[in-house]
Amino acid sequence: MSRIVKNMVLAALIAATPPSIAQARDSAAKAAPTTLATACKGLDGREGWSHPAPPAHIYGNTWYVGTCGIASILVTSDDGHVLIDSGPADAAPLVLANIRKLGFDPADVRWILTSHEHHDHAGSIAELQKATGAQIAAVASARQVLESGKPSADDPQSGLIEGFPPVHVARVLVDGDSVTLGRLALTVRETPAHSPGSASWTWQACDEAFTCRMIAYADSATTISADDYRFSDHPDRIARIRTGLSRIAQLPCDILVTPHPSASNLFDRLSGKAPLVNAQACAAYSQAAGSYFAKRLAEEAGEAAQ
């Protein structure tokens, strides 16, 4: 494509851009990623789960609309929008406010997706579904928890995690399925490292210069458990964790985003303090989690030998 033709096509696309998207770009420029980093400085873990954060532009049609400690990701299209994760039970008003600050209408959210079935990421789904009218899609291994609102007894973190308002899952997904809106397609991979129902999502995002990147919303990979839980007593769980970590490492991953933004240093990367694009980020993220899990198994073996 010649430069002249490319510029003509780009001009046509800009002219055809819905007002809401153009407004979102202007709003994102005002709510720059540096503002996000400043607003959330020093807030991590539970301290930041419900702390309000300004929205920020990640790349292309992808936006951060979550809190300081928990990600909620808006992926936009001319045919409607997709929201991934909701934050804890009190985060819904913050997420909705951020969507509106970007100039988007929450009523245009068509699908709500999940990373994993814990209250800090799924606690506001019911309220967001009511506010948007969106449908919910989730992998089969997360469905029972989402529809009951009760943590699974099979979850190593059972006893540590709270329940949340139940929701109806309109579409049950299997590994490799995609949720589509027009040309937008988000593909799910079951990555059961952090919880039995963990899922990671990938999609393509392109900027105004037609530079396209694969964004990977890789689920939490930490192998946390209740104090009395021993992974060594659950070989089937060990196998699923290793499967999950392997799949995370293989995700198409130009830009890594994680449910806990601090786990991928997202705010510093958005503000230019670290590279945003790194095709090896998912592999490194998986390797670090795998090293932590290996250490945990070694500690359990040492305890058993005493």
Side-chain angles (χ1 to χ4, degrees):
M1 182 183 293
S2 71
R3 180 177 298 178
I4 293 176
V5 173
K6 182 176 180 179
N7 289 340
M8 290 175 63
V9 172
L10 178 59
L13 287 173
I14 293 174
T17 300
S20 60
I21 295 179
Q23 182 180 350
R25 290 178 182 144
D26 292 340
S27 299
K30 295 176 183 177
T34 52
T35 305
L36 174 60
T38 300
C40 297
K41 186 176 181 179
L43 292 169
D44 196 4
R46 291 176 182 267
E47 186 181 28
W49 282 5
S50 301
H51 192 91
H57 186 214
I58 297 176
Y59 191 86
N61 63 340
T62 303
W63 317 82
Y64 189 92
V65 294
T67 66
C68 283
I70 302 291
S72 184
I73 305 301
L74 184 70
V75 188
T76 60
S77 82
D78 295 347
D79 298 292
H81 315 317
V82 176
L83 185 68
I84 313 177
D85 281 346
S86 70
D90 54 356
L94 306 178
V95 172
L96 292 169
N98 276 344
I99 293 173
R100 294 188 180 102
K101 285 176 183 176
L102 289 171
F104 296 113
D105 186 348
D108 290 331
V109 175
R110 302 286 184 256
W111 288 100
I112 299 175
L113 313 178
T114 63
S115 57
H116 62 271
E117 68 286 22
H118 288 171
H119 68 279
D120 49 333
H121 305 281
S124 285
I125 289 182
E127 188 172 346
L128 288 172
Q129 182 185 37
K130 183 178 179 181
T132 63
Q135 297 186 86
I136 295 166
V139 294
S141 51
R143 179 184 185 181
Q144 182 176 355
V145 175
L146 291 171
E147 293 197 329
S148 70
K150 299 177 180 179
S152 170
D154 295 332
D155 194 321
Q157 296 184 60
S158 180
L160 299 178
I161 49 180
E162 305 169 9
F164 50 84
V167 295
H168 170 65
V169 177
R171 183 180 172 195
V172 179
L173 306 168
V174 299
D175 186 70
D177 276 350
S178 292
V179 173
T180 60
L181 285 173
R183 292 178 294 178
L184 176 64
L186 291 88
T187 301
V188 68
R189 296 304 311 269
E190 293 189 69
T191 52
H194 186 69
S195 78
S198 286
S200 298
W201 296 88
T202 59
W203 64 94
Q204 186 183 69
C206 303
D207 66 10
E208 294 179 0
F210 299 108
T211 301
C212 297
R213 307 288 189 186
M214 289 301 299
I215 297 183
Y217 189 65
D219 192 26
S220 300
T222 51
T223 43
I224 302 170
S225 73
D227 291 341
D228 59 351
Y229 186 93
R230 284 173 45 85
F231 286 100
S232 302
D233 296 334
H234 303 273
D236 57 333
R237 185 78 194 112
I238 292 175
R240 287 184 59 74
I241 288 170
R242 287 174 173 160
T243 295
L245 293 177
S246 176
R247 288 176 177 171
I248 288 174
Q250 296 172 35
L251 292 173
C253 183
D254 293 322
I255 298 174
L256 170 64
V257 183
T258 51
H260 291 270
S262 60
S264 51
N265 194 29
L266 180 63
F267 295 168
D268 280 349
R269 291 165 52 226
L270 289 177
S271 62
K273 295 180 180 178
L276 176 63
V277 178
N278 177 3
Q280 302 304 314
C282 284
Y285 177 64
S286 172
Q287 183 178 13
S291 296
Y292 175 90
F293 186 49
K295 181 180 178 181
R296 171 68 183 269
L297 293 178
E299 290 173 351
E300 291 183 1
E303 292 169 359
Q306 292 178 359

